[in-house]
Structure formats: C-alpha cells, structure tokens
Amino acid sequence: MRRSAALYGILGLVLLSFGLVDYFISAGFRLFVWVNLAGGLFSIVLWITSSRSELSSITTGRSARYGANAAVYSIAFIGLLVAINYISSLHHTRLDLTTEKVYSLSSQSINVVKGLQKPLKLYGFFQGGENPSARELYETFAYYSPKLTYELVDPDKHPELAERFKVSTMGTTHLQYGGADSGEGTNVTDLTEESLTNAIIRATRSTKKVISFLDGHGEADPDDAEGTDGYGTIRKDLEGEGYEVRKLELARALAAEPRLLIADEVMAGLAENEIDEVLKTLFTLNDQGVTVVMIEHIMHAIMRFSRRLICMETGRIIADGAPQDVRRNPEVRRVYFGK
Amino acid sequence: MKNSLTIAGKELAGYFLQPVAYVVMTVFLLLGGFFFFALLRYFEVTLTAYAAMQNPEVLQKLNLNERVIEPMLHNLAIVLVILVPAITMRSFAEEKRTGTYELLLTAPIRTGEIVAGKFIAAAAFMLIMIGLAGMFPLILLAFGNPEIGVMFAGYLGLAFLAISFVSIGLFTSSLTQNQIIAAISCFGLLLLLFVISWPAQAGGSSFSDLLRYLSLPDHFAQMVTGIIDTRDIVYFLSLIFVALFLTQRSVESARWR
C-alpha cells in the first residue's frame, strides 16, 4: 500500500470524527460539520480507490476469516462492557470517606429526596453551563433517588429556558417537578444542601402557597415592574420560588385563603372607625393562621397589631424586635421625634 | 497463571536491570516531593496569614487534604501520563525489535498468559512507585491531622489510574516494533482520555454526558475528594479490561496474519 494512500485513509477518519463530534455537540448540521464530513468521505473514497488491490487481498483468504472473527469477538466484548457500565451508572453505591461526611446528605434531606413521587429535574443556570460545586451538590442529591435528575444550563445559550423558568440571576437552580410541562416549579439561588432541600419541599407540595397583595387603596402595584414604587420584581422572585401571587381587595382576601398577606399601607386615608374595621379583619385572618406583613405609618395601629416590628429609615433597618422594645429604641425615637 | 507469574517475575526483574526504571521512579518521587513541599509550604503561609488576621472561620475551613494531598495527587496523575509510556513502551516493541517475539509466541503458553504476565509486571512496578509516594501522607500523619479515609481513596484512585495507563501502554506497545512510536501513541491516547470531556462543556446533550463519563480525570477527581463510587471502579476496570483485551487480540493476530 502506498504511503499516500494510507495518509488519505487517516485524514478521512480524522475529518469524519471532527464532523461527527461537532454534529453531536452543536446538535445540528452547520458549515463546519458539512465541510468535515464531505472532506472525510472524499479522503476515504481516495483511499479505497488508490489501494483497491491491497483491500481485495485483505478481504479474502485466511486473514480475512480470522480478522472478521476477531472483529466480531471484539465488538461483542466491548458491547458487554458498555452494557455493564450503563447499568453501573444507573445503580451505583458510594462510600463517603470524609470525616464529616461532606458528600452525603442529612437524614432529613434523604427522606425528602427518597419521598419523591414524580420526576424532579434540577436546572442549574451558570456561566458557560458549568459549575463544579453545583454539579457535585446535584450529583449528591441525584444519588439518593433515580427520580431526581439534573442539567447545567448556560443561560446565554438557552435564554428561552431562563425566561420560561423566570430565572433572572446567574447561579439560580430551577426545580421542575412532575415533568417539563407540569408548570410546577420553584427557584433557589443558594447552593447549599439546606436551601435545595427546602426548595424540593416547596416544589413538591400538592397545594401552592398563595401570597396576597392588598389592592384598592393606592397600594404599591405587584404588576408594576418598571416603576420605582412597584412590586413587580418582588412578584417575579416570589413566583420563581413557587408562590402564587394574587392582588386582592381586603374583603376578598378572606375567601382566597392565603398563607401570607402583605398589607401595604391599607389604612392610609381611612377614618378611625374604618381603621378599627381593617384591624379586625387582619386579626381574623391572623387567627386563621395567615401571616400578615403590615407596612404602615399609623403607629397606634402598628402597636396594636404587631408581634414583631421592624423599623426602617431611608431603606435601612434601624430596629427589629417586640413593639414595646422598638418604641423605646433611642434611634427610633430620634427618627420619629427628632433630637 | 503460573506461566503469567513466571513472565511477570522476569519482566519485573528486567525493569530493574535497566536504567529506565530507576530514572522513572526517581523523577516521579522527586516531582512528588517537590509538589508536596511546595503545597505544604503554601498551606503553612496561608495558615499563618489567616491566624494573623484572627479569622477563625476561614482557619477552620483550611483543610490539609484539600490544600495539599488533592492537588499533589492531581499533579502526580499528569506526571504519570508522561512516565507510564516510558515504562510500557518496551514491553512488546522491544521483543519485536530484538526478534524474541517469535520465540515467545511459539512457546507452549497462551497469548492471554503472555499479556497477563507483562501486565502484572508493569502494574506491580507502578504500585511499588505509588507505594513509595505513600511516604508523603505518612509525613502528614506524623506531624498533622489529615483525614486518613480521604487519603486512602485518593491513593486508590491514583493506583487505578496508573494501572489503566499501564494497560493502554501495553496495547500501543503491541501494535509496533518501534518503542518511540509505542510511547508517543500511548501518550496521545492518555492525553485524549484526559481532555475528552472538553467539548462537553459546549452543550448539555446526552453526548456531552457520554464524553464526561469517558473522561479519566472526572472519575479520578471524585476518588481524590474521598468518595469511592462503584461507578468509578467499574469505569477503571472496564478501561483496563478493554485495553488488555485489545492487546491480547493484537498479539494473537501475529499468529494468523
């Protein structure tokens, strides 16, 4: 066989490999794939035509018989090993030899993961679609249940996934429960076992928790994502974490059965007897187990209603505690009454 | 088996009759010592710096295994990519060049026994070398408080890695009578197994998952962190068996070609 003929054969195989690898990676036929495949096939044809006589002697006779036998035997052996590897990748056992078992989950997390009824897929959104720490953590979770799978996504390459799962921050993990089209999902930005376990609990619970924003008295609008006073960004984040956000008038909040009610200045401009009525309604909701977050300037209403009071001045928390303690706080007194 | 052990004994003795084995072992241990010293020194400097800053949280997180043993084992794995071909290149190529290959093939022993003998010898040499590099964790144990389980898993990973390299080296050596070609093709194959997952970072397809599974460092890295997974063991054993099987086929083919 001439040296040039062998070179054609090698070149053909190399070009074909490049073409096939790029086809699988880029998942499609682009120009680079076409050029490599065409060049590879052309080189292989050149090799066959320029070494026809040698090939015909190889394909007949004793060598051909033994060669074919060896090839079949080799393919069968490698096929068997591929099958063993595939099975072992599905059913594997691991031993964590670190003293503090840093690559194992706590018993609570294991119970949560093992209790999955439907498939749960974790989508990790990271720069370049790779993050070793996230892969390690997902792998640890996936180890405990075949129902849990994961995928690392580059949001720049798959903006449609980021949009669909309401992911706005790099490093977010989206948990999709019950299949890609189920619509049940939640987002988490913390890469810790605890936060991921909590997110799984949120994603897998049967009923969605409702957060109601009160409406009708000029409160900040949860639909407004553009303006500086709107709660649109908060709404997007809450929905990303699996909550259902509803805009309700106070009277309808009773019927909606929310778990959390955000009452943002609902008493502004109301008469004293109306304030009493609103407080009565909020006390009723609270007695039913609804957590009420009240954002208010009317001090006597706050003091009557609150169990925990957070006082802010120009976006900074200056006091946090029981209402009586906050009232006595010198910083709070300075802000409200001046020096 | 007896024939294999006889061949293995002869081969192993042959390694130590030539300077290559001593050079390989010396280079491996010298580089290992250098990595160990440099990493340990850097660890000590970091420790002193954080102690001076009175930062107990960071100090508590500084881990001897993560900072010294893990990077040292990763560096030694790269060194093995270069050194293993130097050890295995002569296994079959030398026999072919000197003409003893025909004698070996016409001897009343099976091809599998010849391959097994040469494999046992090269693997034993590697294990001796890695065993000697075990002095580094012993030094740490004497003066520090490293995690023994993590170190054991890391060295087990290095041993699997070295034995996989040896079996690939035997295969490339069986293909040619030129030792240089055997060494370079072995080096190329080992390097390919090290970088095979690079294109996988471009996408999240199943093909990328396959490339990641084929990647040697991914399996090795898991063991170095202290996790012994049956999936990694199966991968390494499969790699060893495939390479030895192909070696056996390659040697066998000389009988009918």
Side-chain angles (χ1 to χ4, degrees), chain A residues 24-25 62-63 66-67 73-74 77 81 85 88-89 92-95 97-99 103 128 130 135 139 157, chain B residues 147 149-150 153 199 201-202 205 207 211-213 225-231 234-235 238 241-242 245 249 256:
Chain A
F24 283 115
I25 293 292
R62 198 171 72 103
S63 293
Y66 278 107
Y73 192 23
S74 303
F77 181 79
L81 281 182
N85 275 266
S88 88
S89 70
H92 59 115
T93 307
R94 60 191 229 167
L95 199 62
L97 295 182
T98 56
T99 316
Y103 301 107
E130 188 53 56
R135 187 177 284 283
E139 184 62 42
K157 283 188 182 156
Chain B
E147 293 181 61
V150 179
Q201 288 172 2
S205 64
F207 186 67
L211 290 183
R212 255 187 223 102
Y213 185 78
T225 54
I227 299 170
I228 296 181
D229 195 320
T230 51
R231 199 167 42 177
V234 168
Y235 168 82
S238 302
F241 279 119
V242 165
F245 176 79
R249 292 280 100 189
W256 48 262

Side-chain angles (χ1 to χ4, degrees), chain A residues 98 103 136, chain B residues 39 63-77 140 147 150-151 154-155 220-226:
Chain A
T98 56
Y103 301 107
E136 214 166 66
Chain B
L39 290 162
N63 184 310
L64 204 53
N65 285 80
E66 274 177 28
R67 298 278 178 148
V68 179
I69 295 291
E70 276 186 35
M72 185 190 76
L73 289 175
H74 281 291
N75 291 345
L76 286 180
L140 286 187
E147 293 181 61
V150 179
M151 288 196 301
Y155 269 78
F220 175 60
Q222 175 127 311
M223 294 185 84
V224 167
T225 54

Side-chain angles (χ1 to χ4, degrees), chain A residues 138-213:
Chain A
Y138 298 162
E139 184 62 42
T140 307
F141 272 82
Y143 170 66
Y144 292 97
S145 172
K147 287 197 171 73
L148 195 152
T149 54
Y150 67 87
E151 183 181 334
L152 281 104
V153 181
D154 183 354
D156 294 329
K157 283 188 182 156
H158 298 282
E160 76 289 350
L161 277 180
E163 180 66 31
R164 192 174 132 206
F165 297 144
K166 296 184 170 67
V167 172
S168 53
T169 320
M170 200 66 88
T172 301
T173 303
H174 175 80
L175 296 88
Q176 187 69 22
Y177 188 56
D181 303 318
S182 74
E184 290 179 48
T186 185
N187 290 349
V188 61
T189 48
D190 238 10
L191 258 186
T192 59
E193 181 196 330
E194 190 187 355
S195 58
L196 213 52
T197 304
N198 287 336
I200 293 174
I201 294 169
R202 277 204 308 274
T204 53
R205 66 178 163 226
S206 54
T207 51
K208 255 189 174 183
K209 284 191 177 175
V210 175
I211 294 183
S212 299
F213 281 79

Side-chain angles (χ1 to χ4, degrees), chain B:
Chain B
M1 191 63 192
K2 195 182 162 196
N3 290 333
S4 297
L5 289 177
T6 309
I7 294 172
K10 180 187 142 295
E11 281 284 316
L12 196 58
Y15 284 136
F16 289 101
L17 289 175
Q18 295 208 347
V20 179
Y22 294 103
V23 171
V24 166
M25 210 173 258
T26 309
V27 167
F28 181 76
L29 292 173
L30 264 178
L31 285 173
F34 175 76
F35 296 142
F36 179 70
F37 169 75
L39 290 162
L40 198 61
R41 179 83 190 109
Y42 184 65
F43 178 75
E44 193 192 343
V45 169
T46 317
L47 209 64
T48 316
Y50 280 110
M53 280 189 256
Q54 293 184 328
N55 195 335
E57 273 182 32
V58 179
L59 272 175
Q60 215 167 15
K61 282 182 187 164
L62 288 177
N63 184 310
L64 204 53
N65 285 80
E66 274 177 28
R67 298 278 178 148
V68 179
I69 295 291
E70 276 186 35
M72 185 190 76
L73 289 175
H74 281 291
N75 291 345
L76 286 180
I78 302 288
V79 173
L80 282 178
V81 172
I82 301 159
L83 294 184
V84 168
I87 287 295
T88 56
M89 65 181 185
R90 57 181 287 279
S91 298
F92 289 100
E94 173 87 343
E95 303 252 18
K96 284 180 182 173
R97 195 183 60 82
T98 54
T100 52
Y101 193 55
E102 283 77 12
L103 280 177
L104 196 65
L105 290 182
T106 49
I109 46 173
R110 284 176 301 182
T111 321
E113 289 176 321
I114 300 171
V115 174
K118 287 185 179 287
F119 168 71
I120 292 169
F125 179 80
M126 284 297 143
L127 291 179
I128 292 170
M129 206 162 80
I130 291 169
L132 288 173
M135 66 182 153
F136 305 126
L138 287 180
I139 292 170
L140 286 187
L141 274 173
F143 298 102
N145 190 24
E147 293 181 61
I148 298 173
V150 179
M151 288 196 301
F152 169 75
Y155 269 78
L156 186 69
L158 193 68
F160 269 119
L161 192 86
I163 295 170
S164 309
F165 286 3
V166 159
S167 54
I168 291 168
L170 286 181
F171 171 59
T172 55
S173 179
S174 73
L175 296 174
T176 175
Q177 61 175 5
N178 187 322
Q179 292 187 34
I180 305 295
I181 293 175
I184 290 176
S185 47
C186 174
F187 175 71
L189 270 176
L190 298 184
L191 207 58
L192 181 69
L193 282 171
F194 255 76
V195 298
I196 200 163
S197 66
W198 285 10
Q201 288 172 2
S205 64
S206 331
F207 186 67
S208 300
D209 289 341
L210 174 69
L211 290 183
R212 255 187 223 102
Y213 185 78
L214 289 176
S215 165
L216 253 173
D218 283 27
H219 293 276
F220 175 60
Q222 175 127 311
M223 294 185 84
V224 167
T225 54
I227 299 170
I228 296 181
D229 195 320
T230 51
R231 199 167 42 177
D232 300 323
I233 308 282
V234 168
Y235 168 82
F236 279 120
L237 290 178
S238 302
L239 196 62
I240 293 165
F241 279 119
V242 165
L244 290 181
F245 176 79
L246 292 176
T247 310
Q248 194 262 344
R249 292 280 100 189
S250 164
V251 175
E252 181 76 28
S253 71
R255 293 186 188 227
W256 48 262
R257 262 196 306 200

Side-chain angles (χ1 to χ4, degrees), chain A residues 1-269:
Chain A
M1 195 181 291
R2 289 203 319 272
R3 276 173 190 272
S4 57
L7 197 67
Y8 292 144
I10 293 168
L11 186 68
L13 285 176
V14 169
L15 290 176
L16 279 178
S17 317
F18 278 179
L20 287 173
V21 167
D22 192 61
Y23 168 74
F24 283 115
I25 293 292
S26 59
F29 283 103
R30 55 179 182 167
L31 185 66
F32 183 79
V33 176
W34 280 118
V35 168
N36 277 291
L37 289 182
L41 284 174
F42 181 69
S43 298
I44 296 279
V45 170
L46 269 182
W47 171 64
I48 292 170
T49 48
S50 56
S51 51
R52 205 180 308 146
S53 56
E54 287 87 348
L55 284 174
S56 66
S57 68
I58 287 171
T59 51
T60 55
R62 198 171 72 103
S63 293
R65 215 169 44 247
Y66 278 107
N69 191 21
V72 170
Y73 192 23
S74 303
I75 290 168
F77 181 79
I78 291 170
L80 178 72
L81 281 182
V82 168
I84 291 172
N85 275 266
Y86 179 69
I87 294 166
S88 88
S89 70
L90 293 178
H91 308 282
H92 59 115
T93 307
R94 60 191 229 167
L95 199 62
D96 182 358
L97 295 182
T98 56
T99 316
E100 292 178 5
K101 304 288 171 213
V102 286
Y103 301 107
S104 306
L105 297 183
S106 65
S107 56
Q108 294 94 323
S109 299
I110 293 171
N111 287 338
V112 169
V113 176
K114 285 192 171 171
L116 288 172
Q117 301 294 321
K118 289 189 270 184
L120 173 72
K121 186 161 183 179
L122 312 182
Y123 292 88
F125 288 84
F126 295 96
Q127 189 81 48
E130 188 53 56
N131 183 300
S133 311
R135 187 177 284 283
E136 214 166 66
L137 186 66
Y138 298 162
E139 184 62 42
T140 307
F141 272 82
Y143 170 66
Y144 292 97
S145 172
K147 287 197 171 73
L148 195 152
T149 54
Y150 67 87
E151 183 181 334
L152 281 104
V153 181
D154 183 354
D156 294 329
K157 283 188 182 156
H158 298 282
E160 76 289 350
L161 277 180
E163 180 66 31
R164 192 174 132 206
F165 297 144
K166 296 184 170 67
V167 172
S168 53
T169 320
M170 200 66 88
T172 301
T173 303
H174 175 80
L175 296 88
Q176 187 69 22
Y177 188 56
D181 303 318
S182 74
E184 290 179 48
T186 185
N187 290 349
V188 61
T189 48
D190 238 10
L191 258 186
T192 59
E193 181 196 330
E194 190 187 355
S195 58
L196 213 52
T197 304
N198 287 336
I200 293 174
I201 294 169
R202 277 204 308 274
T204 53
R205 66 178 163 226
S206 54
T207 51
K208 255 189 174 183
K209 284 191 177 175
V210 175
I211 294 183
S212 299
F213 281 79
L214 288 181
D215 190 24
H217 295 83
E219 292 89 346
D221 187 0
D223 289 337
D224 178 12
E226 305 298 325
T228 49
D229 297 330
Y231 282 165
T233 314
I234 296 174
R235 177 185 190 141
K236 194 178 176 189
D237 287 345
L238 288 171
E239 284 178 342
E241 287 181 23
Y243 295 100
E244 188 181 333
V245 174
R246 289 187 200 165
K247 239 167 59 169
L248 289 173
E249 286 178 13
L250 186 54
R252 289 169 61 198
L254 272 169
E257 295 180 0
R259 297 291 299 270
L260 175 72
L261 182 74
I262 297 175
D264 183 11
E265 300 203 31
V266 286
M267 295 169 219

